Amino acid sequence: MSMIAASFAARAAAAAAGTGSAATSNASTSSGAGNGTATNAATAGAGTSGAAAGGGGAAPAGPSDFQIVWSIDIILLSVFALLFLLRLPRFLARMYRFSEWTSGLILRNRPYHMRTSGRRVQFSVGNNASMNDIDISTDDSHAMYQEKAFAQRISATGAQVQGSYPPHVSNCITFFRPLLKLMHARIETGVSLSHVAMMVVWTGALVFPAFYMTEAFNDPVRFGWITASQLPFVYAFGTKNNVLGTFLGIGYEKINFMHRHAGRIVLVSVNVHGLGYIYKWCLSSSFMEEIANPQCYWGLIGLICIDALFLFSTEFVRKKAYNIFLATHISALTVLVIAMLNHFSGAIPWAYACAAFYLFDLLLRITKTRVSTATLRVIPELGVTRVEIPNINSGWRAGQHVRLRVLSSGMGVFGWAEVHPFTIASVADGPEGMVLLCKKAGSWTNRLYSMANSISSEENGRKVSVMVQGPYGGLGNCMVSSFSAATFICGGSGITLATSAMQEIIQKDLNGESRVKSIELIWTVQDASALVPMLPLFTSMIQQSIFTPIRISVFYTRAPIGKFPFAEDFFRSTSFTLSPGRPKFHKHLEETITRTTALVTGSKSANASGLFVGVCGPVALADGVFADAGKIDPYRRDQIGGVEVHAE
């Protein structure tokens, strides 16, 4: 970054030193024809101050175009620096253990003895009871199973281990918590007021260079500078290995809206700049002469690249022809950097910045890519394909996702070239390895399901070669294990967030590394039969969570067809229920707060450390949870230590 800044400074000094003669030369060049090349006009824009100074008694000159847009870039970077400082305490809190900030970076395969070494749990059951007598389907037996007297944490040496809890840092100080409800308010589906505020501030910062001491219709030079200065932000916001997101402690998908917004600004500014010159050249009947200049036709190539990026990035193209969207993005972004380097020398530092972000992302993508063998199985009740990759068993955090490519002719002629993101459904260092649940939602996932379903009943799944890239996204610097309570609200295949996060909490709780005292899962499905394939996992989590009670509530929204999949007395415990209809999220959140505050009061903890709410499913589901979380009474919110909602 220092080298780039030095390059900018050097070019600014050069522009200030030689602007007078350049401006005079450009003026004489364009006076006869009434026009000038893009390069001459740009140089004239940079040399305004020199021309004014050399005029002998002329009015004091203003800052050059370069100085104006560079100052705006500094202001925008300062905003990010301020946000980083505000989020620094949570970043430092995550550093409390080396494994916390090294996990979630690189996928790997760890030997079994390394994954299972360390602390373990020892049971001491008394009163003539045995572990085989415990039935988790009833409240009484489950309560007995949770008694601390029946279990204790034991280290590898056999000594009893006390808990080592992670520090908790709230995402918002108590004084500003009332603002969270306002900032999380939805303007439209999936767009909050905080998103709109960020886009308004960003646009407002660029209004000044767009209209200060210039006229867009007569002098489109300034908009060329704005385009060049904004393109590095477009590249930085759009990369999977996002530098800005890493500093802010959030996944790339959470700030991708700024990639789109900055892209729209670039689209407008580059068209004002390019079409402005094309209009002037057409009026003077010199278009063919001017466009023959290499610097001008490289500018036209850059204009075409940006317009193509916009056209092929529309929602219609992304849904109907994702491969075309992907191919145009890769090719146009690459050619665009070359066009910047050849169009105007003043844009070279920004072109270097774009190339740096782009190449850094490509390098990390290659580093994060693994090729392995996966087993495909269908889960017809959920309409998903279960992808099991046992040779990749470590390196991710709960809530992260990977990009999957299936290397098989069964995916079609070009199916092997497609890559799709899926949230990891299993816990790192677990016995299964990596597990993905791929819902049938398009042609590619339908082909994957059909290929997995084409095996005979005797075969134990279909073996295919896969390319896995990641992990990406996730919870950032947020540590779920630092909260006093965790509630997961999922819809359909969004259950993957809950299964990975809950297993991670249980794993850390057994090691004495979790503050969570209450875990709740609310899962909404269309048909009650969807619970059947997930029942073993849910039962296993309830059994494994020795020190922290788990409540699982499943809701189905369609009337069952045929025989109901469960007996009437199957669900005898209030900790595991199946109900028709849709859940009332506000009621569940209030009950969790009541239950958790009671547990905190009865423990040695001084104060509750907050309620984490994880949401994964349709956008409307996330919007509804944000709205219900905002309805929680301020006193109750402060009583639990704050409510933090994370949506996938």
Side-chain angles (χ1 to χ4, degrees), residues 93-149:
R94 191 182 163 195
M95 298 293 179
Y96 89 104
R97 179 173 282 112
F98 181 77
S99 60
E100 272 295 331
W101 60 275
T102 56
S103 62
L105 298 177
I106 301 291
L107 299 174
R108 55 189 182 273
N109 183 16
R110 296 184 67 193
Y112 180 77
H113 71 276
M114 294 181 63
R115 290 181 281 143
T116 57
S117 62
R119 298 170 184 170
R120 55 190 173 88
V121 177
Q122 175 176 295
F123 297 95
S124 56
V125 182
N127 299 327
N128 299 322
S130 68
M131 294 306 301
N132 294 328
D133 297 330
I134 298 175
D135 178 11
I136 66 166
S137 61
T138 62
D139 289 332
D140 294 338
S141 60
H142 185 65
M144 181 181 71
Y145 186 77
Q146 297 295 332
E147 287 293 331
K148 295 291 193 297

Short mmCIF file of all heavy atoms in Angstrom, two decimals, residues 93-149:
data_model
loop_
_atom_site.label_atom_id
_atom_site.label_comp_id
_atom_site.label_asym_id
_atom_site.label_seq_id
_atom_site.Cartn_x
_atom_site.Cartn_y
_atom_site.Cartn_z
N ALA A 93 -10.53 -9.59 20.82
CA ALA A 93 -11.11 -10.63 21.67
C ALA A 93 -10.98 -12.00 21.03
O ALA A 93 -10.76 -13.01 21.72
CB ALA A 93 -12.58 -10.32 21.96
N ARG A 94 -11.08 -12.05 19.71
CA ARG A 94 -10.96 -13.33 19.02
C ARG A 94 -9.53 -13.87 19.09
O ARG A 94 -9.29 -15.06 18.86
CB ARG A 94 -11.40 -13.16 17.57
CG ARG A 94 -11.56 -14.49 16.82
CD ARG A 94 -11.94 -14.26 15.39
NE ARG A 94 -11.72 -15.46 14.59
CZ ARG A 94 -11.69 -15.50 13.28
NH1 ARG A 94 -11.89 -14.38 12.60
NH2 ARG A 94 -11.48 -16.62 12.64
N MET A 95 -8.58 -13.01 19.42
CA MET A 95 -7.19 -13.44 19.50
C MET A 95 -6.86 -14.15 20.81
O MET A 95 -5.70 -14.48 21.05
CB MET A 95 -6.27 -12.21 19.35
CG MET A 95 -6.40 -11.50 18.03
SD MET A 95 -5.83 -12.51 16.64
CE MET A 95 -6.13 -11.42 15.27
N TYR A 96 -7.86 -14.35 21.66
CA TYR A 96 -7.58 -14.92 22.99
C TYR A 96 -6.99 -16.32 22.88
O TYR A 96 -6.29 -16.78 23.79
CB TYR A 96 -8.86 -14.94 23.83
CG TYR A 96 -9.70 -16.18 23.68
CD1 TYR A 96 -9.72 -17.16 24.67
CD2 TYR A 96 -10.49 -16.38 22.55
CE1 TYR A 96 -10.51 -18.30 24.54
CE2 TYR A 96 -11.26 -17.52 22.41
CZ TYR A 96 -11.27 -18.47 23.41
OH TYR A 96 -12.04 -19.60 23.27
N ARG A 97 -7.27 -17.01 21.78
CA ARG A 97 -6.71 -18.35 21.58
C ARG A 97 -6.23 -18.46 20.14
O ARG A 97 -6.91 -18.04 19.21
CB ARG A 97 -7.74 -19.42 21.90
CG ARG A 97 -7.24 -20.84 21.69
CD ARG A 97 -8.21 -21.89 22.18
NE ARG A 97 -8.15 -22.04 23.63
CZ ARG A 97 -9.12 -21.69 24.46
NH1 ARG A 97 -10.23 -21.17 23.98
NH2 ARG A 97 -9.00 -21.85 25.75
N PHE A 98 -5.04 -19.04 19.97
CA PHE A 98 -4.42 -19.13 18.65
C PHE A 98 -5.32 -19.84 17.65
O PHE A 98 -5.43 -19.44 16.48
CB PHE A 98 -3.08 -19.88 18.77
CG PHE A 98 -2.33 -20.00 17.48
CD1 PHE A 98 -1.64 -18.93 16.95
CD2 PHE A 98 -2.34 -21.20 16.77
CE1 PHE A 98 -0.95 -19.04 15.74
CE2 PHE A 98 -1.65 -21.33 15.57
CZ PHE A 98 -0.96 -20.24 15.06
N SER A 99 -6.00 -20.88 18.08
CA SER A 99 -6.83 -21.66 17.17
C SER A 99 -8.03 -20.87 16.66
O SER A 99 -8.58 -21.20 15.61
CB SER A 99 -7.31 -22.94 17.86
OG SER A 99 -8.07 -22.64 19.02
N GLU A 100 -8.45 -19.83 17.37
CA GLU A 100 -9.61 -19.06 16.97
C GLU A 100 -9.35 -18.26 15.70
O GLU A 100 -10.23 -18.14 14.86
CB GLU A 100 -10.06 -18.12 18.09
CG GLU A 100 -11.04 -18.74 19.07
CD GLU A 100 -12.37 -19.08 18.42
OE1 GLU A 100 -12.78 -18.40 17.46
OE2 GLU A 100 -13.01 -20.04 18.88
N TRP A 101 -8.18 -17.69 15.58
CA TRP A 101 -7.95 -16.85 14.40
C TRP A 101 -7.20 -17.60 13.29
O TRP A 101 -7.02 -17.06 12.21
CB TRP A 101 -7.23 -15.56 14.77
CG TRP A 101 -5.88 -15.69 15.41
CD1 TRP A 101 -5.63 -15.86 16.72
CD2 TRP A 101 -4.61 -15.61 14.76
NE1 TRP A 101 -4.26 -15.92 16.93
CE2 TRP A 101 -3.62 -15.76 15.75
CE3 TRP A 101 -4.21 -15.44 13.43
CZ2 TRP A 101 -2.26 -15.74 15.46
CZ3 TRP A 101 -2.84 -15.41 13.15
CH2 TRP A 101 -1.89 -15.56 14.15
N THR A 102 -6.79 -18.83 13.55
CA THR A 102 -6.22 -19.63 12.46
C THR A 102 -7.27 -20.53 11.81
O THR A 102 -7.09 -20.97 10.68
CB THR A 102 -5.07 -20.51 12.98
OG1 THR A 102 -5.53 -21.32 14.06
CG2 THR A 102 -3.90 -19.64 13.46
N SER A 103 -8.37 -20.81 12.54
CA SER A 103 -9.43 -21.63 11.95
C SER A 103 -10.22 -20.79 10.94
O SER A 103 -10.31 -19.57 11.05
CB SER A 103 -10.37 -22.14 13.04
OG SER A 103 -11.00 -21.07 13.72
N GLY A 104 -10.80 -21.47 9.97
CA GLY A 104 -11.60 -20.78 8.97
C GLY A 104 -10.79 -20.17 7.86
O GLY A 104 -11.28 -19.28 7.15
N LEU A 105 -9.53 -20.63 7.67
CA LEU A 105 -8.69 -20.06 6.62
C LEU A 105 -8.41 -21.05 5.50
O LEU A 105 -8.63 -20.74 4.33
CB LEU A 105 -7.36 -19.57 7.23
CG LEU A 105 -7.44 -18.46 8.27
CD1 LEU A 105 -6.05 -18.15 8.81
CD2 LEU A 105 -8.09 -17.22 7.70
N ILE A 106 -7.92 -22.24 5.84
CA ILE A 106 -7.49 -23.22 4.84
C ILE A 106 -8.10 -24.58 5.17
O ILE A 106 -8.03 -25.05 6.32
CB ILE A 106 -5.95 -23.35 4.79
CG1 ILE A 106 -5.31 -22.00 4.45
CG2 ILE A 106 -5.53 -24.41 3.79
CD1 ILE A 106 -5.57 -21.53 3.04
N LEU A 107 -8.71 -25.23 4.19
CA LEU A 107 -9.24 -26.57 4.37
C LEU A 107 -8.09 -27.57 4.43
O LEU A 107 -7.11 -27.45 3.70
CB LEU A 107 -10.18 -26.94 3.22
CG LEU A 107 -11.42 -26.06 3.03
CD1 LEU A 107 -12.16 -26.47 1.77
CD2 LEU A 107 -12.33 -26.15 4.24
N ARG A 108 -8.23 -28.57 5.30
CA ARG A 108 -7.17 -29.56 5.43
C ARG A 108 -7.73 -30.88 5.96
O ARG A 108 -8.90 -30.96 6.34
CB ARG A 108 -6.06 -29.05 6.36
CG ARG A 108 -6.52 -28.62 7.74
CD ARG A 108 -5.41 -27.94 8.51
NE ARG A 108 -5.79 -27.55 9.86
CZ ARG A 108 -6.38 -26.42 10.17
NH1 ARG A 108 -6.65 -25.54 9.22
NH2 ARG A 108 -6.70 -26.13 11.43
N ASN A 109 -6.86 -31.87 5.98
CA ASN A 109 -7.22 -33.19 6.48
C ASN A 109 -6.34 -33.51 7.68
O ASN A 109 -5.13 -33.66 7.55
CB ASN A 109 -7.02 -34.24 5.37
CG ASN A 109 -7.44 -35.63 5.82
OD1 ASN A 109 -8.14 -35.79 6.82
ND2 ASN A 109 -7.03 -36.64 5.08
N ARG A 110 -6.94 -33.58 8.85
CA ARG A 110 -6.19 -33.85 10.07
C ARG A 110 -6.36 -35.32 10.46
O ARG A 110 -7.46 -35.87 10.37
CB ARG A 110 -6.68 -32.97 11.22
CG ARG A 110 -6.45 -31.49 11.01
CD ARG A 110 -6.87 -30.70 12.24
NE ARG A 110 -6.02 -30.99 13.38
CZ ARG A 110 -6.31 -30.65 14.64
NH1 ARG A 110 -7.46 -30.03 14.89
NH2 ARG A 110 -5.48 -30.94 15.61
N PRO A 111 -5.28 -35.95 10.93
CA PRO A 111 -5.39 -37.34 11.39
C PRO A 111 -6.36 -37.48 12.55
O PRO A 111 -6.57 -36.53 13.32
CB PRO A 111 -3.95 -37.68 11.82
CG PRO A 111 -3.09 -36.69 11.11
CD PRO A 111 -3.91 -35.45 10.97
N TYR A 112 -6.92 -38.65 12.70
CA TYR A 112 -7.95 -38.88 13.71
C TYR A 112 -7.43 -38.62 15.12
O TYR A 112 -8.13 -38.02 15.94
CB TYR A 112 -8.47 -40.31 13.60
CG TYR A 112 -9.54 -40.65 14.62
CD1 TYR A 112 -10.85 -40.21 14.43
CD2 TYR A 112 -9.25 -41.39 15.76
CE1 TYR A 112 -11.84 -40.50 15.35
CE2 TYR A 112 -10.23 -41.69 16.69
CZ TYR A 112 -11.52 -41.25 16.48
OH TYR A 112 -12.49 -41.53 17.40
N HIS A 113 -6.19 -39.05 15.43
CA HIS A 113 -5.69 -38.90 16.80
C HIS A 113 -5.49 -37.43 17.17
O HIS A 113 -5.58 -37.06 18.34
CB HIS A 113 -4.38 -39.67 16.97
CG HIS A 113 -3.21 -39.06 16.24
ND1 HIS A 113 -2.97 -39.31 14.91
CD2 HIS A 113 -2.23 -38.21 16.65
CE1 HIS A 113 -1.88 -38.65 14.53
NE2 HIS A 113 -1.42 -37.97 15.57
N MET A 114 -5.23 -36.57 16.16
CA MET A 114 -5.07 -35.14 16.43
C MET A 114 -6.42 -34.48 16.68
O MET A 114 -6.52 -33.51 17.43
CB MET A 114 -4.36 -34.45 15.27
CG MET A 114 -2.93 -34.89 15.06
SD MET A 114 -2.15 -34.00 13.68
CE MET A 114 -2.21 -32.31 14.29
N ARG A 115 -7.47 -35.00 16.07
CA ARG A 115 -8.80 -34.42 16.24
C ARG A 115 -9.45 -34.84 17.54
O ARG A 115 -10.32 -34.15 18.06
CB ARG A 115 -9.71 -34.82 15.07
CG ARG A 115 -9.34 -34.18 13.75
CD ARG A 115 -10.29 -34.62 12.65
NE ARG A 115 -9.98 -35.94 12.14
CZ ARG A 115 -10.89 -36.84 11.77
NH1 ARG A 115 -12.17 -36.56 11.89
NH2 ARG A 115 -10.53 -38.01 11.30
N THR A 116 -9.06 -35.97 18.09
CA THR A 116 -9.73 -36.51 19.28
C THR A 116 -8.91 -36.36 20.55
O THR A 116 -9.40 -36.67 21.63
CB THR A 116 -10.04 -38.00 19.08
OG1 THR A 116 -8.81 -38.70 18.78
CG2 THR A 116 -11.01 -38.19 17.93
N SER A 117 -7.65 -35.89 20.44
CA SER A 117 -6.83 -35.75 21.64
C SER A 117 -7.27 -34.54 22.44
O SER A 117 -7.89 -33.63 21.94
CB SER A 117 -5.35 -35.59 21.23
OG SER A 117 -5.18 -34.42 20.45
N GLY A 118 -6.91 -34.54 23.72
CA GLY A 118 -7.26 -33.42 24.59
C GLY A 118 -8.23 -33.82 25.67
O GLY A 118 -8.19 -34.93 26.20
N ARG A 119 -9.18 -32.94 25.97
CA ARG A 119 -10.10 -33.17 27.07
C ARG A 119 -11.18 -34.17 26.69
O ARG A 119 -11.52 -34.33 25.53
CB ARG A 119 -10.74 -31.85 27.49
CG ARG A 119 -9.71 -30.84 28.00
CD ARG A 119 -10.35 -29.48 28.17
NE ARG A 119 -9.35 -28.48 28.55
CZ ARG A 119 -9.58 -27.17 28.58
NH1 ARG A 119 -10.77 -26.71 28.24
NH2 ARG A 119 -8.64 -26.33 28.93
N ARG A 120 -11.71 -34.81 27.68
CA ARG A 120 -12.82 -35.73 27.48
C ARG A 120 -13.77 -35.60 28.66
O ARG A 120 -13.48 -34.91 29.64
CB ARG A 120 -12.31 -37.17 27.35
CG ARG A 120 -11.44 -37.63 28.51
CD ARG A 120 -10.78 -38.96 28.20
NE ARG A 120 -9.84 -39.34 29.24
CZ ARG A 120 -10.15 -40.02 30.33
NH1 ARG A 120 -11.40 -40.39 30.53
NH2 ARG A 120 -9.23 -40.33 31.22
N VAL A 121 -14.92 -36.24 28.56
CA VAL A 121 -15.94 -36.16 29.61
C VAL A 121 -16.06 -37.50 30.30
O VAL A 121 -16.13 -38.54 29.63
CB VAL A 121 -17.30 -35.73 29.01
CG1 VAL A 121 -18.37 -35.71 30.09
CG2 VAL A 121 -17.17 -34.37 28.36
N GLN A 122 -16.06 -37.47 31.61
CA GLN A 122 -16.21 -38.69 32.40
C GLN A 122 -17.52 -38.63 33.17
O GLN A 122 -17.84 -37.62 33.79
CB GLN A 122 -15.03 -38.84 33.38
CG GLN A 122 -15.16 -40.02 34.32
CD GLN A 122 -13.92 -40.15 35.20
OE1 GLN A 122 -12.83 -40.41 34.72
NE2 GLN A 122 -14.10 -39.94 36.49
N PHE A 123 -18.30 -39.71 33.12
CA PHE A 123 -19.59 -39.78 33.80
C PHE A 123 -19.46 -40.57 35.09
O PHE A 123 -18.73 -41.56 35.16
CB PHE A 123 -20.65 -40.45 32.91
CG PHE A 123 -20.92 -39.69 31.65
CD1 PHE A 123 -20.26 -40.01 30.47
CD2 PHE A 123 -21.81 -38.65 31.64
CE1 PHE A 123 -20.50 -39.32 29.31
CE2 PHE A 123 -22.06 -37.95 30.48
CZ PHE A 123 -21.41 -38.28 29.32
N SER A 124 -20.18 -40.13 36.10
CA SER A 124 -20.25 -40.86 37.36
C SER A 124 -21.72 -40.93 37.77
O SER A 124 -22.23 -40.08 38.46
CB SER A 124 -19.43 -40.16 38.44
OG SER A 124 -19.86 -38.83 38.59
N VAL A 125 -22.40 -41.96 37.28
CA VAL A 125 -23.83 -42.09 37.51
C VAL A 125 -24.08 -42.86 38.80
O VAL A 125 -23.51 -43.92 39.03
CB VAL A 125 -24.49 -42.83 36.33
CG1 VAL A 125 -25.99 -42.92 36.53
CG2 VAL A 125 -24.17 -42.10 35.04
N GLY A 126 -24.90 -42.29 39.63
CA GLY A 126 -25.18 -42.92 40.90
C GLY A 126 -26.64 -43.28 41.05
O GLY A 126 -27.41 -43.28 40.11
N ASN A 127 -27.03 -43.61 42.32
CA ASN A 127 -28.42 -43.95 42.65
C ASN A 127 -28.94 -45.13 41.83
O ASN A 127 -30.07 -45.14 41.36
CB ASN A 127 -29.34 -42.73 42.44
CG ASN A 127 -28.92 -41.57 43.33
OD1 ASN A 127 -28.44 -41.78 44.46
ND2 ASN A 127 -29.10 -40.38 42.84
N ASN A 128 -28.04 -46.13 41.62
CA ASN A 128 -28.43 -47.36 40.92
C ASN A 128 -28.92 -47.11 39.50
O ASN A 128 -29.69 -47.87 38.95
CB ASN A 128 -29.51 -48.12 41.70
CG ASN A 128 -29.03 -48.55 43.06
OD1 ASN A 128 -27.86 -48.94 43.21
ND2 ASN A 128 -29.90 -48.46 44.06
N ALA A 129 -28.49 -45.99 38.89
CA ALA A 129 -28.89 -45.69 37.51
C ALA A 129 -27.71 -45.93 36.59
O ALA A 129 -26.56 -45.92 37.00
CB ALA A 129 -29.35 -44.23 37.39
N SER A 130 -28.01 -46.17 35.37
CA SER A 130 -26.97 -46.34 34.36
C SER A 130 -27.29 -45.46 33.17
O SER A 130 -28.42 -45.02 33.00
CB SER A 130 -26.90 -47.81 33.91
OG SER A 130 -28.07 -48.15 33.19
N MET A 131 -26.27 -45.21 32.36
CA MET A 131 -26.47 -44.34 31.20
C MET A 131 -27.46 -44.95 30.21
O MET A 131 -28.14 -44.25 29.49
CB MET A 131 -25.13 -44.09 30.50
CG MET A 131 -24.15 -43.28 31.34
SD MET A 131 -24.85 -41.72 31.94
CE MET A 131 -25.25 -40.94 30.40
N ASN A 132 -27.57 -46.28 30.20
CA ASN A 132 -28.52 -46.92 29.28
C ASN A 132 -29.96 -46.71 29.70
O ASN A 132 -30.88 -46.94 28.92
CB ASN A 132 -28.23 -48.42 29.20
CG ASN A 132 -26.87 -48.71 28.57
OD1 ASN A 132 -26.43 -47.95 27.71
ND2 ASN A 132 -26.21 -49.77 29.01
N ASP A 133 -30.17 -46.30 30.96
CA ASP A 133 -31.53 -46.09 31.44
C ASP A 133 -32.08 -44.72 31.06
O ASP A 133 -33.25 -44.43 31.29
CB ASP A 133 -31.59 -46.23 32.98
CG ASP A 133 -31.21 -47.64 33.42
OD1 ASP A 133 -31.47 -48.58 32.64
OD2 ASP A 133 -30.64 -47.78 34.51
N ILE A 134 -31.24 -43.86 30.53
CA ILE A 134 -31.65 -42.49 30.25
C ILE A 134 -32.34 -42.40 28.90
O ILE A 134 -31.83 -42.85 27.89
CB ILE A 134 -30.42 -41.56 30.29
CG1 ILE A 134 -29.81 -41.58 31.70
CG2 ILE A 134 -30.79 -40.15 29.90
CD1 ILE A 134 -28.53 -40.78 31.82
N ASP A 135 -33.53 -41.80 28.89
CA ASP A 135 -34.32 -41.63 27.67
C ASP A 135 -34.51 -40.14 27.43
O ASP A 135 -35.14 -39.46 28.24
CB ASP A 135 -35.68 -42.33 27.84
CG ASP A 135 -36.57 -42.15 26.62
OD1 ASP A 135 -36.06 -41.67 25.60
OD2 ASP A 135 -37.76 -42.49 26.72
N ILE A 136 -33.95 -39.62 26.36
CA ILE A 136 -33.99 -38.17 26.13
C ILE A 136 -35.35 -37.68 25.69
O ILE A 136 -35.57 -36.49 25.57
CB ILE A 136 -32.96 -37.77 25.07
CG1 ILE A 136 -33.34 -38.36 23.72
CG2 ILE A 136 -31.56 -38.16 25.46
CD1 ILE A 136 -32.58 -37.76 22.57
N SER A 137 -36.29 -38.58 25.45
CA SER A 137 -37.59 -38.15 24.94
C SER A 137 -38.51 -37.63 26.03
O SER A 137 -39.59 -37.15 25.75
CB SER A 137 -38.28 -39.31 24.20
OG SER A 137 -38.49 -40.38 25.10
N THR A 138 -38.11 -37.71 27.28
CA THR A 138 -38.92 -37.19 28.37
C THR A 138 -38.15 -36.10 29.09
O THR A 138 -36.92 -36.10 29.15
CB THR A 138 -39.28 -38.30 29.37
OG1 THR A 138 -38.08 -38.82 29.95
CG2 THR A 138 -40.05 -39.41 28.70
N ASP A 139 -38.89 -35.15 29.68
CA ASP A 139 -38.25 -34.03 30.37
C ASP A 139 -37.48 -34.48 31.59
O ASP A 139 -36.38 -34.00 31.87
CB ASP A 139 -39.31 -33.00 30.77
CG ASP A 139 -39.86 -32.27 29.57
OD1 ASP A 139 -39.13 -32.14 28.57
OD2 ASP A 139 -41.02 -31.84 29.61
N ASP A 140 -38.04 -35.41 32.37
CA ASP A 140 -37.41 -35.80 33.64
C ASP A 140 -36.06 -36.46 33.41
O ASP A 140 -35.07 -36.12 34.05
CB ASP A 140 -38.34 -36.76 34.40
CG ASP A 140 -39.62 -36.07 34.84
OD1 ASP A 140 -39.60 -34.82 34.93
OD2 ASP A 140 -40.62 -36.77 35.07
N SER A 141 -36.02 -37.44 32.50
CA SER A 141 -34.77 -38.14 32.26
C SER A 141 -33.72 -37.22 31.66
O SER A 141 -32.54 -37.33 31.97
CB SER A 141 -35.00 -39.34 31.34
OG SER A 141 -35.51 -38.91 30.10
N HIS A 142 -34.17 -36.28 30.79
CA HIS A 142 -33.21 -35.37 30.18
C HIS A 142 -32.64 -34.44 31.24
O HIS A 142 -31.44 -34.12 31.22
CB HIS A 142 -33.89 -34.55 29.08
CG HIS A 142 -32.93 -33.68 28.33
ND1 HIS A 142 -31.92 -34.19 27.57
CD2 HIS A 142 -32.83 -32.33 28.25
CE1 HIS A 142 -31.22 -33.20 27.03
NE2 HIS A 142 -31.77 -32.07 27.43
N ALA A 143 -33.46 -34.01 32.19
CA ALA A 143 -32.97 -33.16 33.27
C ALA A 143 -31.93 -33.92 34.10
O ALA A 143 -30.91 -33.36 34.50
CB ALA A 143 -34.13 -32.71 34.15
N MET A 144 -32.19 -35.21 34.34
CA MET A 144 -31.22 -36.00 35.10
C MET A 144 -29.90 -36.10 34.33
O MET A 144 -28.82 -36.01 34.91
CB MET A 144 -31.77 -37.40 35.36
CG MET A 144 -30.81 -38.29 36.17
SD MET A 144 -31.46 -39.94 36.43
CE MET A 144 -31.34 -40.61 34.80
N TYR A 145 -30.01 -36.22 33.02
CA TYR A 145 -28.82 -36.35 32.19
C TYR A 145 -27.98 -35.09 32.22
O TYR A 145 -26.76 -35.14 32.07
CB TYR A 145 -29.27 -36.66 30.76
CG TYR A 145 -28.15 -36.97 29.80
CD1 TYR A 145 -27.52 -38.20 29.81
CD2 TYR A 145 -27.74 -36.01 28.88
CE1 TYR A 145 -26.51 -38.48 28.91
CE2 TYR A 145 -26.73 -36.28 27.98
CZ TYR A 145 -26.12 -37.52 28.00
OH TYR A 145 -25.12 -37.79 27.11
N GLN A 146 -28.63 -33.95 32.48
CA GLN A 146 -27.92 -32.68 32.46
C GLN A 146 -27.30 -32.33 33.80
O GLN A 146 -26.58 -31.34 33.90
CB GLN A 146 -28.89 -31.55 32.04
CG GLN A 146 -29.44 -31.70 30.64
CD GLN A 146 -28.36 -31.58 29.61
OE1 GLN A 146 -27.36 -30.91 29.85
NE2 GLN A 146 -28.51 -32.24 28.48
N GLU A 147 -27.58 -33.07 34.83
CA GLU A 147 -27.03 -32.74 36.14
C GLU A 147 -25.50 -32.76 36.10
O GLU A 147 -24.87 -33.68 35.58
CB GLU A 147 -27.53 -33.74 37.18
CG GLU A 147 -28.99 -33.55 37.56
CD GLU A 147 -29.22 -32.25 38.30
OE1 GLU A 147 -28.30 -31.78 38.97
OE2 GLU A 147 -30.33 -31.70 38.18
N LYS A 148 -24.90 -31.71 36.65
CA LYS A 148 -23.45 -31.61 36.64
C LYS A 148 -22.79 -32.75 37.41
O LYS A 148 -21.66 -33.14 37.13
CB LYS A 148 -23.03 -30.27 37.25
CG LYS A 148 -23.47 -29.05 36.47
CD LYS A 148 -22.74 -28.94 35.17
CE LYS A 148 -22.93 -27.61 34.53
NZ LYS A 148 -24.31 -27.32 34.18
N ALA A 149 -23.50 -33.30 38.39
CA ALA A 149 -22.92 -34.37 39.19
C ALA A 149 -22.66 -35.62 38.38
O ALA A 149 -21.86 -36.47 38.78
CB ALA A 149 -23.85 -34.69 40.36
#
